[in-house]
Amino acid sequence: MSAYLGKVLVASTLAVTTAVSLSAPVAIDAKAKVKLNKTSYEMKVGDTFKLKLKGAKAVAFGSSDTKIAKVSSKGKVKAKKAGTATITVTGDNGKTYTCKITVVKKNQAVVKDDNIDLGGMNIIIRDWWSPNEELPTTNDYEYERKKYLDDIQEKYNFTIREMCVSDWGTANTDFINYVLSGGDDNNYVFALHTDASVGSAVANGLMYDLSKLDCLDFSAEKFARNKLHEQFTLGNSVYAFFAGYSEPGTGVYFNKQVLKDAGIDPDSIYDLQKNGKWTWDKFEELMEKCQRDTDGDGKDDIYGLTLNETYMTNMAVLSNGGSYVSKDKNGKFVYNLESKETMEALKWCVEMYTKYDNHDPEDAGWDYYVEEWKSGNVAFMVDQEYINTPGNQMQQTDFEVGFVMFPKGPQAKNYVALWNNNPYVIPACYDADRAWKIAFAWNKYTEPVPGYEDYNKYLEMAAKGNFDKRALSETIPMMEDTSRGVVTYQDLIPQIDLGADVVWNITPDADVYDIVESARKNWKEAIKEANSYIK
């Protein structure tokens, strides 16, 4: 272990001894009389090929996205631009068959995978939440996904499972120790959480450079839907991936009854959001109307705001077009803590906390806001979307709740959502052939299920929670919009501790200039050192 890595990492003393067993994939009936000549096909922009139905007459063809792949009435498919599309073919037997088309740029290598055999390789996507037993299918999507997974595992001769091997607290350290020890006979894709140890792992070459694997096309829609690979792109290298839609992030909850009691129509907040007028100023105006003394004792008993200060401070910075650390066109980190947008956001947070959130008891814990919100005496709460989904602490309240995106600051043109997904990585101790095979299998495993290309599990989870109709139909889909998603970079820089250095100090009556001045020198040095290993 290098001295540099040793300064940042805490060595784990816990050995992972979890035994892993993988069940064999269910075979697909290969004797089906009616089938397409291709169920998946990769093409370059401008290429064409003929899709044929064997065993029945094709009576109709269609494409899920004609901008990516267009199909004629005779089954001729033409690749239009990079991305994925599903071609549907209806037979005269009344059944529909699908072929997934992957289109890459003209100058990009196409992986011809029809004859690829992974030799029975067993792959474990190890995380800290997946059940170790395969769960039964409960809906049409899960049934079709199982069919798809059975098909690709049989076709390419591999097995793959997501399994809980580490826990949240040890996942990153387990990965680091695994790579430093040289690995073992297991074939892992590790799910991590982004913190300073991840930045150190990148700096010390512990993650495989995914840009070297031609089986991954980072221009594909499934990657654009979350931008995590952009977050983990340093120079010309990519160190982590994630597929599909991003988990919705931080927003603003509001207690409808408190608003009504203050003479405010709760739906007016959704209208402001819809019309692009949900701003910091409007947020403060509503908090001021709601915060009041209702029993005449000279003290407020209805409050404008309660919150997890870390989430609000970070969102305030992003919602004003700011950042703590940005990246230049060469992929190098840029110190941005003292930019106009960021400083304005930090000072606004101090003002809001002083006016509307300076009412916690002296001995209150960091999570006091949870109980305060449940008391029903607060108008607004800033927190994560997931806390209102099944099984989380905010699902059950005895009052009606609304949910909107974080308001935009004076320097911003649009609302933004912080996308902060778990990075998935391949250990750098694997050789090139092994890494390629694992990435190939993971890529197939994470492809959209034919017929469900736009399926979003996060929308389904939200629908089971305690959200109202407009939150489900307006707010959460906005949080998933690619044009609004942003990622951050400060956690990729070893020796920067955003919480201790800045965010935890943004409190009522805090001096932002003092906070920034205390962090400036260390941050600039850390960024300079981090940039030294970017090629």
Side-chain angles (χ1 to χ4, degrees):
M1 182 185 300
S2 70
Y4 178 56
L5 180 61
K7 289 189 294 184
V8 183
L9 304 180
V10 178
S12 171
T13 57
L14 178 65
V16 178
T17 57
T18 306
V20 178
S21 61
L22 299 175
S23 57
V26 178
I28 303 297
D29 182 7
K31 298 181 180 180
K33 293 182 179 179
V34 181
K35 62 181 180 179
L36 289 172
N37 60 327
K38 298 286 184 183
T39 56
S40 65
Y41 196 69
E42 297 187 16
M43 312 169 68
K44 290 185 178 181
V45 172
D47 287 352
T48 63
F49 92 101
K50 187 71 177 290
L51 188 60
K52 299 178 182 179
L53 185 64
K54 299 178 180 180
K57 181 180 179 181
V59 296
F61 294 86
S63 172
S64 66
D65 193 335
T66 56
K67 293 180 180 179
I68 292 173
K70 192 174 182 179
V71 62
S72 72
S73 60
K74 301 294 185 180
K76 183 180 180 181
V77 180
K78 182 170 184 179
K80 306 290 286 184
K81 73 172 186 177
T84 59
T86 298
I87 305 299
T88 57
V89 183
T90 303
D92 59 2
N93 57 0
K95 295 183 179 181
T96 300
Y97 306 86
T98 60
C99 174
K100 181 185 174 180
I101 301 297
T102 300
V103 180
V104 300
K105 298 175 183 177
K106 288 184 178 181
N107 59 352
Q108 184 176 333
V110 176
V111 178
K112 298 295 185 181
D113 58 20
D114 282 354
N115 298 319
I116 288 176
D117 187 331
L118 298 184
M121 174 181 272
N122 295 330
I123 299 166
I124 303 162
I125 303 174
R126 55 181 287 173
D127 56 41
W128 56 88
W129 64 85
S130 293
N132 287 338
E133 297 296 329
E134 186 173 357
L135 300 177
T137 57
T138 61
N139 56 39
D140 290 344
Y141 168 77
E142 291 177 359
Y143 175 75
E144 291 299 328
R145 175 164 171 75
K146 185 178 186 305
K147 284 175 57 180
Y148 167 75
L149 294 180
D150 288 344
D151 184 20
I152 62 168
Q153 288 179 103
E154 180 183 50
K155 180 176 181 179
Y156 302 110
N157 190 19
F158 74 100
T159 61
I160 189 167
R161 282 241 0 233
E162 296 177 64
M163 297 190 68
C164 176
V165 180
S166 298
D167 59 48
W168 186 90
T170 66
N172 289 8
T173 309
D174 288 347
F175 166 75
I176 291 164
N177 288 343
Y178 179 84
V179 180
L180 291 175
S181 68
D184 56 25
D185 292 336
N186 289 306
N187 300 302
Y188 286 131
V189 175
F190 281 78
L192 308 178
H193 50 85
T194 306
D195 62 16
S197 66
V198 167
S200 295
V202 173
N204 286 272
L206 304 186
M207 297 176 183
Y208 201 93
D209 182 359
L210 305 176
S211 70
K212 299 181 182 300
L213 305 175
D214 62 6
C215 57
L216 298 173
D217 172 18
F218 286 110
S219 69
E221 179 67 20
K222 71 177 181 182
F223 295 116
R225 282 173 170 170
N226 61 74
K227 300 182 181 179
L228 183 130
H229 69 284
E230 294 180 16
Q231 182 182 16
F232 280 80
T233 296
L234 279 70
N236 297 317
S237 299
V238 182
Y239 293 103
F241 45 21
F242 182 86
Y245 288 98
S246 176
E247 183 175 8
T250 301
V252 180
Y253 292 89
F254 54 92
N255 183 323
K256 294 187 177 183
Q257 189 58 53
V258 171
L259 266 64
K260 290 177 183 177
D261 292 344
I264 301 167
D265 176 7
D267 271 349
S268 67
I269 304 178
Y270 286 117
D271 295 337
L272 289 168
Q273 175 178 257
K274 184 176 181 179
N275 296 324
K277 297 180 179 180
W278 176 229
T279 63
W280 287 2
D281 288 344
K282 183 57 68 173
F283 187 26
E284 182 177 3
E285 176 187 321
L286 297 179
M287 286 191 286
E288 186 175 11
K289 286 183 179 180
C290 292
Q291 186 155 302
R292 60 197 187 280
D293 173 15
T294 61
D295 58 12
D297 67 354
K299 296 180 180 180
D300 291 332
D301 44 53
I302 300 294
Y303 303 112
L305 180 66
T306 193
L307 70 154
N308 183 313
E309 286 85 353
T310 296
Y311 293 146
M312 176 159 168
T313 302
N314 291 339
M315 274 310 304
V317 169
L318 297 172
S319 72
N320 198 39
S323 63
Y324 302 112
V325 175
S326 59
K327 282 201 297 190
D328 64 19
K329 63 181 180 180
N330 298 315
K332 299 275 184 146
F333 297 118
V334 177
Y335 175 78
N336 212 27
L337 182 58
E338 295 181 78
S339 68
K340 173 185 175 181
E341 297 83 358
T342 301
M343 290 293 289
E344 185 177 27
L346 296 177
K347 288 186 283 186
W348 178 74
C349 283
V350 170
E351 184 181 354
M352 294 304 99
Y353 300 164
T354 304
K355 289 182 177 179
Y356 306 111
D357 188 44
N358 195 14
H359 44 73
D360 293 1
E362 289 186 8
D363 59 347
W366 72 270
D367 58 351
Y368 171 75
Y369 77 97
V370 175
E371 294 305 317
E372 186 171 60
W373 173 251
K374 290 182 179 179
S375 74
N377 296 323
V378 183
F380 294 95
M381 178 183 67
V382 178
D383 210 325
Q384 296 278 34
E385 179 272 345
Y386 76 83
I387 66 170
N388 209 29
T389 53
N392 288 292
Q393 73 242 35
M394 294 295 183
Q395 187 186 358
Q396 299 300 324
T397 56
D398 57 5
F399 50 85
E400 193 176 1
V401 173
F403 182 69
V404 288
M405 293 191 71
F406 198 86
K408 58 185 176 182
Q411 309 303 323
K413 295 181 180 179
N414 209 342
Y415 311 114
V416 297
L418 172 58
W419 287 356
N420 188 25
N421 298 288
N422 295 312
Y424 288 77
V425 303
I426 294 176
C429 57
Y430 294 166
D431 63 36
D433 180 66
R434 187 178 179 188
W436 190 95
K437 289 178 178 178
I438 292 171
F440 177 88
W442 180 91
N443 195 43
K444 294 298 180 183
Y445 179 76
T446 57
E447 288 289 83
V449 176
Y452 291 84
E453 286 77 13
D454 294 322
Y455 176 79
N456 186 338
K457 68 178 181 180
Y458 297 116
L459 294 181
E460 184 173 291
M461 290 170 62
K464 296 177 181 178
N466 199 31
F467 291 106
D468 66 0
K469 290 182 179 179
R470 294 192 70 174
L472 291 173
S473 64
E474 298 175 33
T475 304
I476 298 174
M478 288 174 70
M479 287 183 158
E480 302 288 74
D481 187 341
T482 303
S483 67
R484 304 182 196 278
V486 294
V487 294
T488 59
Y489 305 106
Q490 66 278 346
D491 288 332
L492 295 177
I493 303 173
Q495 301 179 10
I496 281 184
D497 188 336
L498 178 62
D501 294 344
V502 178
V503 172
W504 300 342
N505 301 310
I506 302 298
T507 57
D509 299 313
D511 188 323
V512 173
Y513 293 102
D514 282 350
I515 294 168
V516 169
E517 185 176 358
S518 297
R520 179 187 300 122
K521 181 180 179 180
N522 179 62
W523 276 45
K524 288 186 174 182
E525 290 177 352
I527 289 172
K528 181 179 180 180
E529 188 166 3
N531 281 333
S532 69
Y533 62 74
I534 296 177
K535 300 177 182 179

